[in-house]
Amino acid sequence: MADKNYDVIIIGAGVVGSMVARFLSRYKLDVLLIEKDSDIGMGASSANTAIIHAGYDPKPGTLKAEMNVVGNQMFDQLAGELNFTFERRGDYVVAIGPEEFAKLESLRQQGLENGVPGMVILNGADVRRREPNINPEVSGALWATTGGICDPFGVVIAAAENAVVNGVTLMTDTAFQDFIMDGKHIVGIKTNRGDFSSRWVVNSAGLYSDVVMHKAGLRPEFKITPRKGEYYVFDKAEITINNVLFPVPSATSKGILVTTTVHGNTIIGPNALEIDDKEDRSITREGLDEIWQGAINLVPSLSLRYSIAEFAGLRPGGNAPCENPDVKYNKDFIIEIPKQVEGLVNLGGIESPGLSSSPAIAVRVVELLKGAGEKLEEKSEWNPIRRARPRFRDMLPTEQKLLIENDPSYGRIICRCENVTEGEIVAEIHAPIPARTYDAIKRRTWLGTGRCQGGFDTPRVVEILARELGVSPLEISKKGKGSEFLVRPTKDEEAE
Ligand SMILES: O=P(O)(O)OC[C@H](O)CO
């Protein structure tokens, strides 16, 4: 076992694990956050709609409903403290035709039961005025003023970075293998990088949360069934959808939506395909056709000509029934300290609205630990603020000039579509959580997400990463081992 004894080990640095780490970093605890991938936020948190849901969708009485509404309300303060982009624009559930209009009121009632403030039912003319591109057959919409959009990678990175700056240890490329038990007590974990002892372990393994809890002998019937969602991204210059437009939801999904990102791109998706493979992020013709049909039902004037990228993400859907006996069977989040084993905070089935719920889940983890007798003394030096690094494209010309005078590398544009400079890339490589791969730089700076999709910047980024990390360009990868860009030196280099 490694020398150091941790108080808490968190398995999985997605949005939930990173948020738990951030909220625990406030207390005098030795916390280790482990992540099996080469960077944080590469699992379920890596591909989603970026929406902070208002909370009218989950069934009343479920943890999903409670965490969604509480989490949503925490985002203004969190965005201010952690400096990630969050815009509370509101969202619309759009009814097409009279039958769908009738369903809006029950959705509003459900929202009221969940405690969602600020919901209004609009008529078709109102919706057409607010979103001129909407299907003219629109009969009305539920407008939820508390809905928002964020930079979802920014949320994960900012939360984890604030945790690290406040003393949490982060280990990437570190995969959980098993628990170390003393009777029914968990006393540590085994990983591919050795054993670590700890008084508490938090299971925030997302798509693998079932595997982790089964290793502790818990909930053998619980199964994560990934629900794949595919998306199209549109060039921001060509299309202007200003709002988050949901269809009327089905019993199993919020449906295929048309939305905008904080960077100004329109995105459409996701479908919801239950699959077995926890790593299958493939795009299919059928899937893309399905999301296209869903999207043009809301915005008929969309044109595939302006699509610049497609991607797929997996939601870690579980089969846990709601613990509230008043709620009929509903697949709910698991947030518990189970009785069968000691030393485990068990989180499972955190699918949508997981991003919106993540800060509330973190607070609930803190409450559970307190309830289990942990003293949780606050650190006097805890700093809730995570300072943002300069983003050249968002600055005024006078600010850009000053930045360049101070550091000329901010005057060298590496990604022309998104106006990302060398200085920004270098800053991310030397940040508290260093970006070591192309995708890590992309998630942090938004480089490579424009019309050329990295066609021009990739070779430059490989050079910069190699130079700053002091390694050969052959070692630089897209997203970790096995995804290196270069296979061998060129003839000229070999001759040198
Ligand atoms: O299909 P759902 O209900 O999992 O919803 C997915 C959402 O659009 C994610 O924001």
Side-chain angles (χ1 to χ4, degrees):
M1 196 103 82
D3 291 345
K4 193 165 167 69
N5 288 327
Y6 289 98
D7 294 305
V8 184
I9 294 177
I10 302 165
I11 303 170
V15 71
V16 174
S18 299
M19 213 46 100
V20 170
R22 190 270 178 171
F23 278 80
L24 284 180
S25 73
R26 179 178 197 140
Y27 304 100
K28 291 181 184 167
L29 294 169
D30 274 323
V31 180
L32 171 65
L33 173 62
I34 66 165
E35 171 50 54
K36 69 175 173 39
D37 292 318
S38 64
D39 190 19
I40 60 176
M42 286 178 67
S45 307
S46 68
N48 52 66
T49 55
I51 293 170
I52 302 305
H53 294 281
Y56 48 76
D57 272 297
K59 288 266 171 300
T62 59
L63 277 170
K64 274 185 183 172
E66 185 187 348
M67 295 296 114
N68 186 164
V69 176
V70 176
N72 174 298
Q73 287 161 12
M74 294 171 73
F75 264 82
D76 303 276
Q77 183 176 343
L78 259 188
E81 290 179 348
L82 297 179
N83 273 299
F84 57 76
T85 313
F86 168 62
E87 296 174 15
R88 204 179 275 287
R89 295 189 183 195
D91 65 53
Y92 294 83
V93 177
V94 177
I96 310 290
E99 255 176 57
E100 285 195 352
F101 185 77
K103 295 182 184 162
L104 297 180
E105 183 51 30
S106 54
L107 204 53
R108 192 179 78 93
Q109 286 303 329
Q110 182 162 286
L112 288 175
E113 264 190 76
N114 290 346
V116 180
M119 291 176 296
V120 182
I121 294 193
L122 305 174
N123 64 33
D126 280 338
V127 186
R128 280 187 289 273
R129 189 167 42 78
R130 289 167 181 233
E131 185 55 72
N133 294 301
I134 202 83
N135 184 340
E137 302 292 309
V138 62
S139 52
L142 172 65
W143 181 41
T145 56
T146 57
I149 53 173
C150 68
D151 171 355
F153 311 120
V155 176
V156 182
I157 289 156
E161 190 173 302
N162 189 236
V164 166
V165 168
N166 281 301
V168 169
T169 303
L170 168 69
M171 289 177 69
T172 50
D173 290 310
T174 304
F176 166 86
Q177 290 171 334
D178 208 345
F179 288 104
I180 304 168
M181 309 287 297
D182 178 5
K184 65 184 277 206
H185 294 252
I186 290 173
V187 292
I189 60 166
K190 291 177 183 296
T191 77
N192 61 326
R193 293 178 66 188
D195 299 349
F196 299 95
S197 63
S198 181
R199 296 189 301 113
W200 286 98
V201 176
V202 178
N203 172 15
S204 54
L207 288 156
Y208 294 88
S209 55
D210 54 348
V211 177
V212 172
M213 66 180 91
H214 295 165
K215 289 277 187 190
L218 268 178
R219 293 185 180 259
E221 74 298 341
F222 179 72
K223 185 174 184 300
I224 293 285
T225 303
R227 278 197 311 142
K228 185 162 76 166
E230 292 157 86
Y231 299 84
Y232 273 115
V233 183
F234 290 84
D235 189 347
K236 63 177 104 177
E238 304 293 349
I239 194 113
T240 42
I241 298 296
N242 298 316
N243 294 301
V244 178
L245 306 173
F246 286 100
V248 170
S250 71
T252 52
S253 170
K254 297 180 202 70
I256 294 159
L257 55 130
V258 178
T259 182
T260 182
T261 70
V262 292
H263 305 282
N265 300 88
T266 294
I267 61 172
I268 65 170
N271 51 349
L273 188 65
E274 295 206 337
I275 58 171
D276 291 322
D277 185 349
K278 295 183 177 188
E279 299 298 327
D280 176 6
R281 292 177 172 83
S282 58
I283 314 285
T284 63
R285 185 65 267 158
E286 301 74 39
L288 291 178
D289 287 347
E290 186 187 352
I291 61 169
W292 178 244
Q293 289 310 321
I296 56 170
N297 187 41
L298 293 175
V299 181
S301 57
L302 283 171
S303 167
L304 270 181
R305 252 183 86 193
Y306 304 127
S307 153
I308 55 171
E310 303 100 31
F311 66 93
L314 301 176
R315 10 227 213 287
N319 58 346
C322 179
E323 304 282 342
N324 180 343
D326 297 335
V327 180
K328 272 219 225 132
Y329 181 78
N330 189 74
K331 293 173 182 177
D332 205 0
F333 291 164
I334 296 172
I335 307 173
E336 64 181 4
I337 292 187
K339 292 197 177 67
Q340 300 91 315
V341 289
E342 281 177 19
L344 181 68
V345 181
N346 192 32
L347 309 176
I350 316 287
E351 57 174 344
S352 175
L355 171 63
S356 319
S357 303
S358 58
I361 295 172
V363 169
R364 179 59 57 88
V365 169
V366 171
E367 285 165 358
L368 285 172
L369 288 172
K370 282 185 180 162
E374 281 293 320
K375 293 262 183 309
L376 299 192
E377 233 183 292
E378 285 190 23
K379 290 176 191 161
S380 57
E381 73 282 12
W382 185 66
N383 184 0
I385 308 300
R386 175 251 178 197
R387 288 172 68 90
R389 288 176 280 282
R391 285 289 166 255
F392 188 80
R393 66 171 165 268
D394 299 333
M395 296 172 124
L396 295 169
T398 46
E399 295 170 327
Q400 291 176 336
K401 190 165 172 281
L402 265 178
L403 190 66
I404 296 167
E405 273 167 17
N406 202 33
D407 181 346
S409 69
Y410 282 94
R412 289 192 282 277
I413 302 281
I414 303 298
C415 168
R416 289 188 202 172
C417 301
E418 297 299 318
N419 257 334
V420 179
T421 64
E422 181 173 345
E424 290 163 88
I425 297 168
V426 171
E428 294 304 333
I429 297 171
H430 299 293
I433 299 178
R436 296 173 177 277
T437 63
Y438 178 86
D439 280 358
I441 304 273
K442 179 176 176 175
R443 278 190 288 274
R444 288 157 175 78
T445 63
W446 218 237
L447 147 159
T449 62
R451 195 178 278 195
C452 89
Q453 289 289 299
F456 287 96
D457 65 63
T458 304
R460 301 288 315 279
V461 176
V462 169
E463 275 171 18
I464 296 167
L465 272 164
R467 183 189 77 208
E468 295 297 317
L469 295 173
V471 299
S472 155
L474 294 175
E475 290 180 43
I476 301 304
S477 67
K478 179 167 162 51
K479 54 182 181 180
K481 278 230 166 319
S483 62
E484 289 79 7
F485 288 101
L486 306 168
V487 284
R488 58 183 162 75
T490 59
K491 280 184 194 156
D492 286 353
E493 280 164 336
E494 273 175 331
E496 276 174 16

